[in-house]
Amino acid sequence: MLSRNSLSMGDDLVRAFLYVFFDQTCLAQRLESDKTVLPAVQVLMTLPEMNQTSVKDSSLQAILKAFAIPRAPDCNRAEFFAFSEVFATMMEVDLIPPTIGIQALTRFLSISQNRCAAITTLGKSVELCAEHLSDACDLQVLTKLKEVLDTVREDEYRYDVEYISENMRWTRDDDVPPQGLKEPSDLTSQSVDPSVPEAYPNQAHPVPVDSRMASGEPGSQAKGTPAAKPVTSAPAQEAIGDAVASTHIAAAAAAAAAQANQ
């Protein structure tokens, strides 16, 4: 039986990891020094299994809640970038099985209000471990992901889709850009604030980044778009907690998205 002191130490450990993973100041310091969250995740992997499980489950609960918040396509990606980075890194080192992680992202990607966080996280995952995802994921899961990705048509996600498709060695189902998409020359000519970290810093081609992405300035919310609402209902929180605890992350994603978008 665990003593009160042991339980308290466990709680402190979880809080410490959540701070390093998701605190905006810690994220800003990582980006400024061109560091990643991988060292912190590697430290987590050296802990006893019980501690690993506590930290991972608490992290996944926080991540899925963040992903389930409805957002506009041109939202401020800095709001959830830390969650995207941790999720992608955990898939890179198999703390999250890639098949289950991709199932969760596919679920969020299929819902327009949850798409921004999902496609950002997918892009980060592809940047970190595209080959691993191709090798480790079930073919059926990857096929479903590609099908859903092919339905993404918002202008704001044009380069996300191209980056993901290119690095996963996929081709788009359509050769003609759908109506409303900008010409490539228009996209590549957009100015990028050099002080703002790109979504996928190691990519071969630039991604136009809204200069508000990392600044969090008030204008980052699309005009006429309701403010994002967090998942606050008890059923949603219970569904996420139960599903994550049993590693059914895809089911947790579905529950979170459904509750957030009601």
Side-chain angles (χ1 to χ4, degrees):
M1 181 178 295
L2 295 175
S3 66
R4 288 187 177 181
N5 286 340
S6 297
L7 291 173
S8 177
M9 289 177 61
D11 291 342
D12 290 343
L13 184 67
V14 169
R15 281 193 291 269
F17 271 97
L18 294 183
Y19 174 77
V20 172
F21 285 166
F22 306 127
D23 181 76
Q24 288 295 308
T25 301
C26 292
L27 172 63
Q29 290 173 348
R30 288 200 298 271
L31 295 173
E32 184 178 353
S33 58
D34 198 24
K35 304 295 184 183
T36 72
V37 78
L38 179 59
V41 173
Q42 290 173 327
V43 170
L44 171 61
M45 296 173 69
T46 68
L47 299 180
E49 184 176 355
M50 180 182 67
N51 297 119
Q52 281 191 45
T53 300
S54 296
V55 173
K56 185 176 76 170
D57 289 353
S58 295
S59 299
L60 288 174
Q61 287 176 350
I63 290 169
L64 294 177
K65 288 178 183 179
F67 288 179
I69 296 174
R71 295 182 173 92
D74 60 349
C75 72
N76 181 358
R77 297 194 186 192
E79 293 176 1
F80 55 79
F81 187 77
F83 299 95
S84 296
E85 183 190 18
V86 172
F87 191 92
T89 303
M90 285 188 172
M91 279 207 294
E92 180 186 14
V93 299
D94 290 322
L95 274 178
I96 297 175
T99 290
I100 296 176
I102 292 298
Q103 285 178 317
L105 293 180
T106 301
R107 171 66 185 181
F108 283 123
L109 191 66
S110 68
I111 302 172
S112 60
Q113 290 179 304
N114 301 138
R115 186 166 293 158
C116 193
I119 203 165
T120 302
T121 307
L122 182 58
K124 189 64 181 177
S125 302
V126 167
E127 177 203 329
L128 295 179
C129 56
E131 185 174 352
H132 181 50
L133 295 178
S134 296
D135 292 342
C137 286
D138 293 346
L139 179 59
Q140 184 177 1
V141 171
L142 289 177
T143 300
K144 179 63 176 177
L145 172 63
K146 184 181 182 301
E147 290 175 355
V148 173
L149 192 67
D150 282 339
T151 68
V152 175
R153 290 293 183 267
E154 293 91 338
D155 290 359
E156 292 85 356
Y157 305 140
R158 170 77 180 273
Y159 267 109
D160 297 273
V161 172
E162 288 185 353
Y163 177 82
I164 293 163
S165 299
E166 176 184 337
N167 285 277
M168 292 299 289
R169 302 182 185 277
W170 294 339
T171 57
R172 294 280 280 173
D173 285 346
D174 54 333
D175 294 327
V176 181
Q179 185 176 4
L181 286 180
K182 300 176 183 178
E183 292 297 323
S185 59
D186 294 334
L187 288 166
T188 55
S189 66
Q190 293 185 28
S191 61
V192 178
D193 186 341
S195 67
V196 179
E198 293 178 352
Y200 326 125
N202 297 327
Q203 64 195 26
H205 62 294
V207 169
V209 179
D210 189 329
S211 62
R212 300 165 299 188
M213 185 178 108
S215 66
E217 66 180 65
S220 61
Q221 184 70 31
K223 292 182 179 179
T225 302
K229 55 179 179 180
V231 182
T232 55
S233 67
Q237 293 180 9
E238 292 173 4
I240 294 171
D242 292 344
V244 170
S246 59
T247 72
H248 296 163
I249 302 172
Q259 288 289 339
N261 289 288
Q262 284 182 351

